[in-house]
């Protein structure tokens, strides 16, 4: 273990000296990556690659650094150590090939703007000046209509977004992220504060669109169950570590006990749902459902 | 007192016969257009209180300028723009905070009051900055108002889509590469500029009506941003022209009519909204035949 780490350290120094060779053809590659916020190391020694078109869920307790991972990929943060590649390049802020839905609470109930306008901002929100009418503008609106159709939000696209339900707002935010036809989609807790039925509906919608358009998708989620049938792999972020694997490899009693360094038990019910038990004293829980189970 | 003939053409001819009314209408028009546009973003960004505070900072600046014998307009402009830069530098976390903004408002008003009491000269101009002096402004003020109007409209046109994005969805905008903080600073500076000019016409205490009411009304009528901005401009023009015309015939100052019209318009749309949701509620109730909750 120690030797392994030393070797990695050496490799890193050699790599820094030489011109960095691209880690492609991966959609995302992290090598010995560590991230720091202030003086606190959030996690370190992350090594993973994600193939184009893969659908990956990011799990872990609150504050473990799930959103931090997304911010790193967006180029809003720099790693304190190691390398990252996104779509064959170093992450850079404002990469148009990335669609992003930030974590949020529901939008202001008074927000007096149509869903359609919010989606349009995904196409033209970075432009200077006023939009001029013309064939280009018509094409943009056609693209917005198409995206609204794809997320099944056409029916309420003309209503003020503040008045829509959480699930409806989430579809519009998803449309905003998709409208510019990204290659990579980063979703931060898109299922939070939705009821179970909407959670499943949104998760399936994302999976369907991502598969159809071959968009690599990373979705931070509190609860694995709505996405369990659709994910290719999961990333688990906990206690300063980042691990990746198939759900049946990662969400096991042995793996999670080792990750948390505590006796954790993974229980499966008759419908195949997964519950993680034994983390009641952790700062947060990987599964929302166990809160109802825990005394 | 002049009585209206109720023939609109004749009445407007009577009004425009007077040079002071012509300058008042010209300056009022330019001011209403820029206030209408900028108020959309003031309301969207939840900055009503912050903009009121900027106006009060401007008042302190004007009073301070009077005290040291400087031009009032320069003191006003320097303070509103400096105040805007200060807010921008501190960031939204602070100027979005009621307590911090309220304290800054109090100290500005207090400082202005102190400067006035220290100033032993003729304080009419300062009184004008508190309550406005739309009738009786000079041609050079009209010119300055137009110039500011053009500059602020160009700036808002340039920033429009970015500002809309950053106001609605700051996090996505930032991830897409927008420098949200700089954009916010640019908006605040334009706001400071507009406030500095508008203050000399409608005054610190009444500017609130023009910076908030037009968009607050327009937003309840449409959820299309360009339409809402257009409507907001029309409403600001209506309040200003209406206020001026009313004060021409009635012996009360225009500022009070402008604010009355603005308030009345807001009450009307809110009442309309309430009526509509009441009807909807009633329909829903009769559909499910459940009289409980009717009072709510």
């Amino acid at each position: 273990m120690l030797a392994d780490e030393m070797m990695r350290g050496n490799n890193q120094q050699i790599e820094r000296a030489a011109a960095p060779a691209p880690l492609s053809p991966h959609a995302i590659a992290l090598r010995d990556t560590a991230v720091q916020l202030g003086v606190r190391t959030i996690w370190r020694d992350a090594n993973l690659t994600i193939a184009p078109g893969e659908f990956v869920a990011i799990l872990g307790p609150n504050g473990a650094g799930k959103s931090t991972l997304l911010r790193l990929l967006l180029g809003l943060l720099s790693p304190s150590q190691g390398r990252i590649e996104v779509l064959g390049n170093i992450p850079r802020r404002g990469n148009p090939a990335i669609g992003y839905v930030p974590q949020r609470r529901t939008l202001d109930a008074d927000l007096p703007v149509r869903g359609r306008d919010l989606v349009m901002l995904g196409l033209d929100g970075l432009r200077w000046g006023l939009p001029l009418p013309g064939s280009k503008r018509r094409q943009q609106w056609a693209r917005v209509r198409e995206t609204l159709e794809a997320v099944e939000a056409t029916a309420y696209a003309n209503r003020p977004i503040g008045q829509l339900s959480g699930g409806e707002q989430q579809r519009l935010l998803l449309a905003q992220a998709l409208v510019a036809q990204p290659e990579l989609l980063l979703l931060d807790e898109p299922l939070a504060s939705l009821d179970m039925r909407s959670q499943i509906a949104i998760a399936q919608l994302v999976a369907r669109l991502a598969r159809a358009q071959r968009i690599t998708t990373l979705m931070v989620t509190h609860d694995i169950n709505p996405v369990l049938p659709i994910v290719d792999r999961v990333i688990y972020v906990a206690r300063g570590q980042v691990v990746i694997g198939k759900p049946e490899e990662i969400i096991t009693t042995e793996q999670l006990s080792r990750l948390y360094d505590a006796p954790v038990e993974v229980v499966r019910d008759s419908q195949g749902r997964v519950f993680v038990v034994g983390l009641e004293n952790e700062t947060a829980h990987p599964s929302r459902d166990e809160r109802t189970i825990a005394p | 007192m002049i009585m209206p003939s109720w023939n609109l053409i004749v009445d407007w001819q009577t009004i425009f016969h007077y040079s002071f009314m012509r300058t008042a209408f010209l300056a009022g028009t330019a001011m209403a257009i820029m206030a209408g546009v900028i108020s959309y973003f003031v309301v969207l960004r939840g900055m009503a209180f912050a903009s009121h505070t900027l106006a009060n900072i401007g008042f302190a600046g004007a009073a301070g300028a009077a005290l040291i014998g400087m031009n009032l307009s320069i003191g006003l402009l320097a303070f509103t723009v400096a105040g805007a830069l200060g807010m921008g530098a501190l960031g939204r976390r602070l100027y979005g905070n009621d307590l911090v903004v309220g304290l800054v408002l109090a100290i500005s008003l207090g400082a202005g009051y102190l400067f006035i009491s220290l100033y032993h000269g003729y304080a009419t101009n300062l009184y004008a900055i508190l309550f406005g002096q739309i009738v009786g402004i000079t041609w050079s003020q009209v010119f300055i108002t137009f110039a500011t109007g053009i500059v602020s409209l160009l700036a808002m046109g340039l920033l429009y889509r970015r500002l809309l994005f950053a106001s609605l969805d700051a996090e996505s905008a930032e991830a897409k590469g927008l420098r949200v903080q700089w954009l916010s600073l640019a908006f605040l500076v334009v706001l400071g500029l507009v406030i500095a000019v508008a203050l000399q016409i409608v005054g610190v205490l009444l500017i609130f009506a023009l910076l908030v009411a037009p968009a607050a009304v327009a937003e309840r009528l449409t959820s299309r941003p360009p339409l809402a901005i257009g409507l907001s401009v029309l409403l600001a023009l209506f309040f200003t022209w209406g206020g001026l015309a009313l004060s021409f015939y009635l012996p009360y100052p225009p500022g009070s009519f402008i604010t009355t019209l603005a308030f009345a318009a807001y009450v009307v749309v809110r009442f309309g909204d309430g009526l509509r949701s009441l009807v909807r509620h009633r329909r829903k109730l009769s559909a499910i035949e459940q009289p409980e909750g009717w009072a709510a």
Side-chain angles (χ1 to χ4, degrees):
Chain A
M1 185 73 181
L2 197 64
D4 202 332
E5 266 187 30
M6 279 170 61
M7 286 245 304
R8 262 194 219 151
N10 281 338
N11 280 343
Q12 205 174 308
Q13 274 171 8
I14 293 163
E15 269 178 18
R16 281 213 181 134
L23 306 174
S24 310
H26 310 296
I28 290 170
L30 267 67
R31 191 177 289 174
D32 302 318
T33 313
V35 63
Q36 248 176 323
L37 291 179
V39 289
R40 200 162 72 96
T41 298
I42 305 298
W43 41 255
R44 53 200 286 265
D45 298 327
N47 278 287
L48 59 91
T49 58
I50 292 168
E54 240 188 308
F55 193 116
V56 179
I58 304 176
L59 297 162
N62 287 342
K66 295 170 298 196
S67 299
T68 306
L69 175 57
L70 296 193
R71 289 179 69 78
L72 217 53
L73 300 174
L74 284 163
L76 297 172
L77 270 180
S78 301
S80 55
Q81 254 173 28
R83 285 180 58 191
I84 303 181
E85 254 178 45
V86 176
L87 304 171
N89 283 302
I90 294 166
R92 67 189 163 92
R93 197 189 157 98
N95 187 341
I98 303 179
Y100 172 53
V101 177
Q103 182 180 13
R104 72 182 77 217
R105 299 189 185 92
T106 45
L107 296 159
D108 183 3
D110 277 333
L111 208 58
V113 173
R114 298 178 305 169
R116 192 177 290 281
D117 298 307
L118 187 77
V119 175
M120 179 50 113
L121 287 171
L123 271 186
D124 79 344
L126 293 184
R127 294 286 166 81
W128 296 102
L130 299 171
L132 299 172
S135 66
K136 191 159 170 265
R137 193 67 184 159
R138 279 197 297 277
Q139 277 169 22
Q140 284 181 325
W141 279 118
R143 174 69 198 144
V144 169
R145 271 197 302 279
E146 206 178 288
T147 314
L148 285 167
E149 200 72 47
V151 301
E152 296 152 13
T154 309
Y156 43 82
N158 287 334
R159 296 208 351 235
I161 26 185
Q163 294 174 8
L164 301 176
S165 74
E168 289 168 340
Q169 289 184 355
Q170 207 50 255
R171 280 173 196 260
L172 289 167
L173 294 166
L174 183 63
Q176 190 203 59
L178 286 171
V179 72
Q181 293 173 305
E183 292 169 54
L184 174 62
L185 189 58
L186 304 176
L187 309 169
D188 200 348
E189 299 248 18
L191 308 182
S193 72
L194 298 182
D195 57 78
M196 199 58 180
R197 188 194 293 256
S198 307
Q199 285 191 21
I200 293 170
I202 297 275
Q204 285 178 344
L205 174 72
V206 173
R208 185 155 38 88
L209 293 173
R211 292 266 143 77
Q213 298 169 34
R214 275 187 61 77
I215 304 170
T216 313
T217 306
L218 269 67
M219 181 197 277
V220 174
T221 176
H222 226 73
D223 181 6
I224 181 68
N225 288 306
V227 290
L228 202 54
I230 50 182
V231 292
D232 297 310
R233 287 193 294 168
V234 299
I235 292 176
Y236 215 105
V237 185
R239 296 202 161 213
Q241 302 156 77
V242 178
V243 293
I244 189 167
K246 291 201 177 339
E248 59 271 24
E249 297 164 2
I250 299 291
I251 309 173
T252 62
T253 299
E254 303 76 57
Q255 266 288 349
L256 291 190
S257 295
R258 192 178 328 142
L259 197 61
Y260 279 102
D261 196 21
V264 172
E265 199 169 338
V266 175
V267 184
R268 275 163 220 275
D269 74 1
S270 58
Q271 292 175 29
R273 283 180 297 198
V274 179
F275 300 92
V276 180
V277 190
L279 289 175
E280 290 77 19
N281 295 326
E282 286 290 325
T283 49
H285 313 277
S287 163
R288 171 177 295 187
D289 295 64
E290 107 244 356
R291 257 186 247 162
T292 53
I293 295 174
Chain B
M1 197 168 81
I2 303 163
M3 289 301 288
S5 69
W6 302 112
N7 176 337
L8 278 183
I9 297 168
V10 175
D11 282 346
W12 285 117
Q13 276 172 346
T14 316
I15 290 172
F16 287 130
H17 179 71
Y18 297 91
S19 151
F20 67 87
M21 286 311 283
R22 287 199 294 271
T23 49
F25 265 92
L26 278 174
T29 301
M31 187 197 63
I33 292 172
M34 60 186 170
V37 172
I38 213 150
S39 80
Y40 181 77
F41 287 100
V42 167
V43 172
L44 193 63
R45 296 169 72 81
M47 281 178 52
F49 199 29
S51 58
H52 186 48
T53 301
L54 265 185
N56 278 285
I57 293 173
F59 166 66
L67 186 61
I68 59 169
M70 246 173 67
N71 184 320
L72 290 196
S73 305
I74 293 174
L76 188 56
L77 186 68
F79 266 61
T80 50
V81 172
L85 288 171
M87 282 187 186
L90 292 175
R92 213 184 163 102
R93 205 166 48 84
L94 277 179
Y95 73 73
N97 181 326
D98 280 359
L99 297 177
V100 177
V101 176
L103 282 169
V104 174
L105 188 143
I107 185 69
S108 329
L109 210 51
Y113 189 32
L114 175 68
F115 295 156
I116 289 185
S117 70
L118 289 173
Y119 176 63
H120 296 296
Y122 192 51
T124 309
N125 284 337
L126 289 171
Y127 182 76
I129 283 177
L130 277 180
F131 289 101
Q133 197 180 36
I134 190 163
V135 177
I137 59 168
T138 61
W139 276 104
S140 76
Q141 274 180 307
V142 173
F143 175 76
I144 290 170
T145 311
F146 266 86
T148 314
I150 290 167
V151 169
S152 61
L153 287 186
L154 283 177
M156 293 308 290
L158 186 68
L159 299 178
Y160 171 65
R161 282 187 274 190
R162 294 183 155 225
L163 200 56
L164 193 62
F165 199 8
S167 306
L168 289 177
D169 194 355
E171 271 181 275
S172 298
E174 194 170 22
K176 284 236 172 201
L178 255 183
R179 303 281 167 179
V180 175
Q181 190 98 26
W182 285 109
L183 203 62
S184 162
L185 190 70
F187 174 70
L188 279 162
V189 170
V190 178
L191 181 64
L193 201 67
V194 171
I195 287 175
V197 173
L199 275 192
Q200 304 176 51
I201 303 174
V202 284
V204 172
L205 301 176
L206 304 180
I207 195 175
F208 213 41
L210 280 178
L211 277 181
V212 176
V217 174
E219 279 188 351
R220 297 209 148 253
L221 299 175
T222 174
S223 48
R224 293 168 183 246
L227 207 61
I229 293 173
L231 208 55
S232 170
V233 168
L234 289 180
L235 284 162
L237 284 171
F238 168 70
F239 301 153
T240 311
W241 289 347
L244 280 171
L246 283 171
S247 79
F248 183 75
Y249 291 110
L250 298 170
Y252 308 106
S256 58
F257 288 119
I258 293 175
T259 44
T260 306
L261 286 173
F263 182 71
Y266 188 70
V267 169
V268 167
V269 289
R270 277 315 286 245
F271 187 69
D273 267 9
L275 214 62
R276 221 179 306 154
S277 62
L278 197 70
V279 169
R280 217 178 296 144
H281 189 59
R282 197 172 207 169
R283 245 183 240 150
K284 214 182 275 173
L285 278 181
S286 61
I288 51 175
E289 289 187 344
Q290 235 173 9
E292 300 101 313
W294 163 234

